[in-house]
Amino acid sequence: FGKLLGILTTWYNTNARNLFLATIKPRGLIWKFMAWVVVFTTKRVRELEKYAGLNNVMTTVALYVLGQYIHPRFFMCATSFTHYCMYIATYHVRTGINFGVFKRNVVYFKAIALTHLCVNYIANFTYDPVSIAMILMGYGLSTSAVMALGIDQTYFGVELGVME
């Protein structure tokens, strides 16, 4: 398996390098298009890594696929509390934490958890003014706290020594 992997890696590296070199000074319409594709793809992958994290995306995909074989609610359960586990582990360790990556990861998984919550609430919706009022008040309070503290303080910026 290692030999095959080595051959495939060498083939990929050679072709990617040749594509890169051909797009530096593209000649002709096809190579100009290929140069655009390389730049466009590079920028999109960079943005994906910056805002979501490739590890997070692949973990999410793997959990979704695994959930198709385990249980219909596996994906929801596995991704709904991930950000809380990250909070607990980070708050426990507190040293050597890459704050930017931590913040990106918890925001990513919190967004997934809130999406689960929203989808399940809407799928099972029955008009209940108390429920709606509690949701609005809860998220209103949470949003005003984030606005007052700022995003960095909301995600343990002071506790991790990132800010005063």
Side-chain angles (χ1 to χ4, degrees):
F1 179 74
K3 186 120 175 125
L4 175 64
L5 190 58
I7 291 168
L8 292 174
T9 302
T10 303
W11 176 84
Y12 172 80
N13 287 342
T14 302
N15 286 316
R17 179 76 178 156
N18 288 337
L19 175 62
F20 172 74
L21 292 173
T23 59
I24 291 174
K25 290 184 180 176
R27 291 182 238 186
L29 191 58
I30 290 176
W31 285 110
K32 286 182 181 183
F33 173 73
M34 292 304 289
W36 179 84
V37 168
V38 167
V39 171
F40 178 83
T41 303
T42 301
K43 287 181 179 180
R44 298 302 80 81
V45 170
R46 179 190 168 277
E47 289 170 355
L48 181 64
E49 177 61 29
K50 181 179 179 182
Y51 296 113
L54 296 173
N55 289 341
N56 293 335
V57 172
M58 294 311 296
T59 299
T60 304
V61 169
L63 289 170
Y64 178 79
V65 170
L66 197 59
Q68 300 304 302
Y69 296 101
I70 294 177
H71 191 275
R73 297 284 183 203
F74 175 80
F75 177 67
M76 183 181 69
C77 294
T79 55
S80 288
F81 304 101
T82 305
H83 63 290
Y84 290 120
C85 294
M86 289 178 179
Y87 294 156
I88 293 165
T90 300
Y91 197 68
H92 175 72
V93 173
R94 293 190 194 195
T95 58
I97 304 297
N98 183 331
F99 184 68
V101 172
F102 165 72
K103 190 169 61 170
R104 178 201 66 195
N105 292 349
V106 295
V107 168
Y108 175 84
F109 280 106
K110 186 173 185 176
I112 291 175
L114 291 175
T115 302
H116 287 311
L117 187 65
C118 193
V119 165
N120 282 291
Y121 186 80
I122 291 170
N124 299 295
F125 182 77
T126 54
Y127 180 73
D128 180 8
V130 173
S131 172
I132 294 169
M134 290 178 70
I135 289 170
L136 292 175
M137 287 173 37
Y139 285 109
L141 180 63
S142 177
T143 302
S144 66
V146 171
M147 298 297 283
L149 293 173
I151 195 79
D152 288 343
Q153 278 186 305
T154 301
Y155 291 106
F156 303 134
V158 174
E159 291 86 347
L160 296 175
V162 176
M163 56 190 320
E164 306 256 337

